[in-house]
Amino acid sequence: LNESKMATTPHHHLSARSLDRALEDAVCSGILNLSGRKLREYPGMSFDLTDTTQADLSKNRLTDVPPEVCLFAPLESLNLYHNCIKFIPEAIVNLQMLTYIDVSRNLLTILPKYLFNLPLKVLLVSNNKLVSIPEEIGRAKELMELDVSCNEIQVLPAQVGRLQALRELNIRKNCLHMLPEELADLPLIRLDFSCNKITEIPPTYRKLRHLQHIILDNNPMQSPPAQICLKGKVHIFKYLNIQVCRMEKKPDTLDLPTLSKRCLPQPLTDRSTKSTINILHILLFSY
């Protein structure tokens, strides 16, 4: 037993010294890196890290966002990837400089509304247990990248369409049955909705002019049909354009003057009156 203690004690001292060194470095640099240290609680209580601008606490065993970290007023980037965190505390609103947060691979069941009072540009929450996204996400006007892949989300709120800076949206591997039309006006460059239950791409998505990558495999697609989807973005957009043209040609209500104008561009004469009446009768019954 003594030999075993002697063998492990030096390693324990080395790791404690290494942890202290990381904390001392953070005091000087403002960059805190405690990734992959099997931490169950925040170890920096006796260090003044309130000037920290970047904090990496990924790949540990934390069950909470450390309250001390929520006091780092200048914090711009917070990495909590791969822990055991179940909720995000309201104290996070103290971080009014925070633009990047990664809470992927945790145990979150909700995204709190107050999270969207931060000036976030990147929000990564993949591989959690989310079933919904709050409508308040529409407040995140500066958000450029949103990754909520590998959750259990059933509906994407229309308010996502207000994220006028959004370039990348990853909603892969959820339980979505439809896509909100409101996304059509966003400057999206990359859209991934693969591995869902989506059957249709809204025709309005033809307006996504900046889109370079659309990933939609493993959905029961009907419109566009799967064989068109397999051909890629160009063919998908061609199909959507055709759909829109068809919809625009079909009048919403039966308006005889409008119909006669569309179908009979030439002025009416006495000779053509009879045939015109016949055409209008045909149009009436065909609609």
Side-chain angles (χ1 to χ4, degrees):
L1 283 171
N2 287 339
E3 285 180 11
S4 170
K5 276 186 187 175
M6 287 175 68
T8 56
T9 304
H11 174 72
H12 175 73
H13 283 318
L14 280 171
S15 112
R17 201 180 306 146
S18 155
L19 187 58
D20 282 346
R21 193 179 300 122
L23 292 162
E24 287 165 6
D25 288 347
V27 173
C28 299
S29 66
I31 299 171
L32 175 63
N33 187 349
L34 299 176
S35 178
R37 291 178 179 269
K38 301 180 182 176
L39 300 173
R40 293 181 186 276
E41 54 188 31
Y42 175 70
M45 299 288 283
S46 54
F47 293 82
D48 181 7
L49 296 170
T50 49
D51 290 336
T52 304
T53 58
Q54 297 176 38
D56 185 350
L57 299 166
S58 62
K59 300 179 185 175
N60 282 298
R61 298 171 186 172
L62 302 171
T63 54
D64 299 297
V65 178
E68 296 80 9
V69 172
C70 295
L71 298 174
F72 298 171
L75 197 67
E76 297 169 9
S77 169
L78 177 57
N79 188 350
L80 294 163
Y81 166 82
H82 210 323
N83 276 282
C84 308
I85 295 165
K86 293 184 179 178
F87 72 99
I88 298 171
E90 191 163 2
I92 201 151
V93 298
N94 294 326
L95 305 177
Q96 283 299 314
M97 303 290 283
L98 195 69
T99 58
Y100 176 103
I101 185 168
D102 185 350
V103 277
S104 299
R105 217 169 270 282
N106 277 284
L107 303 172
L108 298 175
T109 53
I110 60 163
L111 279 180
K113 298 171 183 179
Y114 46 76
L115 186 62
F116 304 108
N117 293 332
L118 297 172
L120 295 175
K121 291 185 178 178
V122 177
L123 173 58
L124 310 177
V125 280
S126 68
N127 289 278
N128 277 280
K129 298 184 176 184
L130 303 177
V131 293
S132 64
I133 296 175
E135 294 179 356
E136 285 77 7
I137 194 170
R139 293 184 202 148
K141 302 296 185 187
E142 297 177 59
L143 198 64
M144 298 177 70
E145 180 180 351
L146 175 62
D147 184 350
V148 290
S149 61
C150 304
N151 280 285
E152 297 159 32
I153 298 164
Q154 297 179 15
V155 176
L156 200 62
Q159 286 78 3
V160 173
R162 296 179 188 168
L163 305 178
Q164 289 302 315
L166 198 66
R167 302 288 188 273
E168 295 189 37
L169 176 60
N170 189 346
I171 47 178
R172 177 182 175 274
K173 206 172 182 185
N174 277 284
C175 306
L176 297 167
H177 286 266
M178 60 186 296
L179 296 166
E181 292 200 2
E182 288 80 0
L183 299 189
D185 296 319
L186 297 183
L188 287 175
I189 292 171
R190 182 183 179 86
L191 173 61
D192 185 347
F193 60 88
S194 57
C195 304
N196 278 282
K197 299 174 183 178
I198 291 164
T199 57
E200 179 184 6
I201 299 176
T204 52
Y205 279 29
R206 70 189 176 88
K207 294 193 284 182
L208 289 169
R209 294 189 182 90
H210 301 283
L211 200 65
Q212 294 175 16
H213 305 283
I214 182 167
I215 304 153
L216 44 67
D217 51 296
N218 290 298
N219 278 290
M221 293 302 302
Q222 293 174 13
S223 177
Q227 61 267 32
I228 288 177
C229 292
L230 287 170
K231 292 180 180 178
K233 189 191 76 170
V234 172
H235 291 270
I236 291 167
F237 274 68
K238 187 176 178 183
Y239 177 91
L240 296 179
N241 276 314
I242 291 168
Q243 290 299 98
V244 170
C245 287
R246 282 176 181 164
M247 286 161 64
E248 286 176 352
K249 280 179 184 173
K250 186 176 179 180
D252 295 326
T253 55
L254 187 62
D255 179 2
L256 286 182
T258 306
L259 285 174
S260 62
K261 203 180 290 179
R262 283 179 184 168
C263 301
L264 302 168
Q266 300 300 322
L268 296 178
T269 62
D270 291 338
R271 245 181 252 176
S272 61
T273 303
K274 191 174 178 182
S275 58
T276 302
I277 291 167
N278 289 335
I279 289 168
L280 289 174
H281 273 289
I282 292 164
L283 286 169
L284 267 169
F285 286 104
S286 66
Y287 278 83

